């Protein structure tokens, strides 16, 4: 199977790496990729947002499977453009990707499917925002309706800050605050006329959204992750499948926009039960890096089955025993204004450690061929081990070998779950 991965980030590196280790995958291509992906794939210079260009490349390569990683091309309809040329593509249509592209749309779908989520008001004027804030009370949760790369959500006790955030957005969702631990549960989804909507959940993971230790600082795309969750209830995956994933994909199919690809349920386990915080229409980053480190099944057939509506015929994913931890190394100034061009040292030494993969997220080569920072999240250092404590130890040993001027990591990823 010839594969083409679209994107530049850590998620795409982790997926390309897993595909390169799958014996049924003969070729891995990526566009535009990054220096880490280049070690496992042939890179092509194509704008990931240009559906026609991506489709042309897929045709030229005679790709059997295109995997669209990030949300922006999905929402822009890149998967549709590839599918229209008769090539299997892992990733939802632009219409189905609205589950991520519009928080108001996601709320409508959840209401219709009776999926538990935070109560919310969609607001377009400052008066509506003020009324909604006062109806729910603090802590205030204000979300930009559209895609915002992890920066669209403000959770604050400061009413003025909530109002100011809303003022910068065209349309916002103001919602009730959800307490309790967060879980990311991903499901492979496929659809066919004969079998309807199939969901195959992966192992639960947890993401660390705030920039600094002890969940201080601004929201980010995610500073680290681990899987599995030793503290989670045994029936969590089953409950989420029955109450969230299956009703959502059934509702999408009923609306005539079936969802295929990866449905990411961001969940809060509140004192009043399970609630959906958000949906994403693609693999999460950096949870995917940790999940891929433990995936025992070959990735290609799972993605191909989802892409072609035959997921119900593919053996369910199997997972290694043990645990995996991903620690993000971020650039100086992330998330507000990450600095680019700083030289990255120590990646090879770190990558050589047992059980460690140094996944590239925002890296590039400078004119001298040196590896430099090119994005806010620079590396996603991923380690597996017999348990969370071992995976954590290995991940931080690797992180400590990496040096970037002004670079930083959280030191508490998976600490609580590992009993550290
Ligand atoms: P979202 O983009 O909707 O996932 O929001 C980003 C992050 O903001 C989430 O992962 C949560 O940590 C936080 N958040 C979002 N919605 C809520 C909510 N209703 N209550 C508490 N925290 C939230
Ligand atoms: N880790 C959060 C996300 O991928 O949106």
């Amino acid at each position: 199977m010839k594969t083409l991965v679209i994107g530049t980030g850590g998620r795409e590196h982790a997926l390309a790496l897993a595909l390169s280790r799958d014996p049924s995958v003969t070729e891995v291509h990526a566009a535009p990729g990054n220096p880490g992906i280049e070690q496992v794939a042939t890179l092509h210079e194509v704008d990931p947002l240009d559906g026609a260009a991506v489709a042309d490349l897929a045709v030229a390569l005679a790709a059997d499977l295109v995997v669209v990683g990030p949300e922006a091309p999905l929402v822009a309809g890149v998967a549709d453009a590839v599918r229209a040329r008769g090539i299997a593509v892992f990733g939802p249509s632009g219409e189905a990707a609205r589950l991520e592209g519009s928080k108001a749309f996601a709320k409508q779908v959840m209401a219709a499917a009776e999926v538990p989520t935070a109560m919310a008001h969609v607001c377009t004027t400052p008066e509506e925002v003020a009324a909604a804030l006062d109806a729910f009370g603090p802590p205030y949760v204000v979300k930009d309706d559209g895609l915002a790369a992890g920066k669209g959500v403000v959770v604050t006790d400061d009413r003025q800050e909530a109002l100011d955030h809303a003022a910068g957005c065209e349309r916002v969702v103001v919602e009730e605050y959800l307490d309790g631990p967060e879980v990311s549960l991903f499901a492979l989804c496929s659809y066919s006329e004969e079998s309807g909507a199939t969901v195959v959940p992966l192992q639960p993971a947890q993401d660390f959204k705030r920039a600094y230790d002890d969940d201080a600082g601004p929201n980010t795309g995610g500073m680290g992750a681990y899987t599995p969750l030793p503290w989670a209830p045994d029936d969590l995956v089953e409950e989420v499948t029955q109450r969230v994933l299956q009703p959502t994909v059934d509702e999408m199919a009923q609306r005539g926009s079936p969802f295929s690809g990866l449905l990411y349920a961001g969940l809060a386990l509140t004192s009043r039960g399970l609630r959906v915080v958000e949906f994403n229409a693609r693999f999460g980053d950096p949870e995917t890096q940790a999940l891929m480190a433990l995936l025992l099944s070959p990735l290609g057939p799972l993605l191909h089955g989802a892409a072609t509506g035959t997921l119900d015929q593919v053996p369910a994913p199997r997972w290694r025993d043990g645990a995996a931890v991903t620690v993000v190394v971020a650039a100086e100034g992330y998330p507000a204004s990450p600095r680019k061009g700083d030289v990255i040292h120590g990646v090879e030494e770190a990558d050589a450690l047992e059980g460690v993969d140094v996944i590239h997220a925002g890296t590039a080569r400078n004119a001298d061929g040196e590896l430099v920072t090119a994005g806010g999240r620079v590396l996603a250092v991923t380690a597996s081990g017999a348990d969370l404590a071992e995976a954590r130890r290995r991940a931080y040993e690797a992180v400590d070998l990496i040096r970037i001027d002004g670079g930083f990591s959280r030191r508490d990823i998976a600490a609580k779950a590992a009993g550290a």
Side-chain angles (χ1 to χ4, degrees):
M1 173 162 49
K2 288 190 198 176
T3 59
L4 169 61
V5 177
I6 303 301
T8 55
R11 162 189 44 224
E12 289 76 32
H13 186 184
L15 294 172
L17 184 61
L19 289 171
S20 75
R21 291 171 176 170
D22 174 349
S24 72
V25 172
T26 51
E27 289 178 28
V28 185
H29 296 266
N34 67 34
I37 300 175
E38 191 169 21
Q39 293 164 10
V40 295
T42 308
L43 301 193
H44 303 270
E45 274 189 40
V46 164
D47 175 1
L49 290 171
D50 182 342
V54 171
D56 284 345
L57 174 64
V59 170
L61 294 170
D64 301 295
L65 175 68
V66 176
V67 180
V68 182
E71 59 274 22
L74 290 166
V75 170
V78 168
D80 306 78
V82 176
R83 214 172 272 126
R85 305 282 285 276
I87 294 178
V89 51
F90 182 84
S93 65
E95 185 61 30
R98 289 177 71 211
L99 272 182
E100 173 164 4
S102 166
K103 293 192 188 281
F105 175 76
K107 287 287 183 195
Q108 279 170 23
V109 171
M110 284 189 267
E114 294 180 28
V115 169
T117 185
M119 285 186 294
H121 293 297
V122 181
C123 308
T124 50
T125 67
E127 293 73 33
E128 285 171 4
V129 172
L133 292 178
D134 295 336
F136 291 129
Y140 302 108
V141 182
V142 181
K143 302 185 174 189
D144 191 342
D145 180 49
L147 287 184
K151 294 180 200 159
V153 178
V154 159
V155 180
T156 177
D157 283 320
D158 181 341
R159 191 169 176 278
Q160 193 56 46
E161 190 188 344
L163 286 168
D164 291 346
H165 180 62
C169 312
E170 225 167 84
R171 189 153 85 132
V172 296
V173 175
V174 176
E175 66 180 35
E176 84 182 293
Y177 177 78
L178 300 174
D179 63 352
E182 284 186 47
V183 173
S184 302
L185 186 66
F186 303 167
L188 301 167
C189 301
S190 88
Y191 179 82
S192 72
E193 297 273 324
E194 308 81 66
S195 20
T198 302
V199 297
V200 173
L202 306 185
Q203 217 171 245
Q206 193 175 47
D207 175 26
F208 293 76
K209 285 254 166 56
R210 300 285 185 146
Y212 314 128
D213 283 14
D214 301 322
D215 294 329
N219 264 326
T220 69
M223 293 296 293
Y226 67 94
T227 183
L229 312 180
W231 51 268
D234 287 339
D235 62 352
L236 177 69
V237 173
E238 198 184 311
E239 188 187 0
V240 177
T241 304
Q242 285 175 10
R243 295 185 62 202
V244 175
L245 299 168
Q246 193 69 51
T248 300
V249 293
D250 288 343
E251 172 67 23
M252 293 299 286
Q254 213 172 49
R255 288 172 177 238
S257 41
F259 188 95
S260 78
L262 197 288
L263 181 59
Y264 168 139
L267 306 156
L269 309 188
T270 77
S271 48
R272 292 184 298 133
L274 177 73
R275 298 283 186 279
V276 172
V277 176
E278 63 163 343
F279 282 134
N280 294 316
R282 37 86 193 167
F283 277 101
D285 191 339
E287 297 96 311
T288 300
Q289 287 86 316
L291 283 164
M292 289 303 119
L294 290 190
L295 181 67
L296 199 55
S297 310
L299 181 62
L302 288 165
L303 301 186
H304 191 263
T308 54
T310 57
L311 192 53
D312 51 332
Q313 295 156 38
V314 180
R318 290 182 304 124
W319 303 92
R320 270 180 243 286
D321 292 338
V325 172
T326 296
V327 178
V328 167
V329 181
E332 155 116 48
Y334 180 69
S337 51
R339 192 167 73 200
K340 294 186 180 172
D342 285 310
V343 178
I344 306 166
H345 299 280
V347 167
E348 275 174 35
E349 296 89 313
D351 197 51
L353 293 179
E354 191 185 343
V356 172
D357 281 318
V358 177
I359 302 293
H360 291 231
T363 67
R365 298 240 172 239
N366 66 14
D368 299 329
E370 295 168 306
L371 191 68
V372 295
T373 61
R377 293 186 294 175
V378 180
L379 299 167
V381 176
T382 300
S384 55
D387 54 21
L388 276 176
E390 186 179 55
R392 230 186 138 246
R393 199 163 49 242
R394 287 176 167 173
Y396 279 109
E397 214 178 295
V399 166
D400 290 340
L401 292 175
I402 291 166
R403 292 174 320 281
I404 304 172
D405 222 11
F408 70 98
S409 298
R410 277 182 64 157
R411 299 302 303 188
D412 61 347
I413 302 302
K416 211 164 122 198

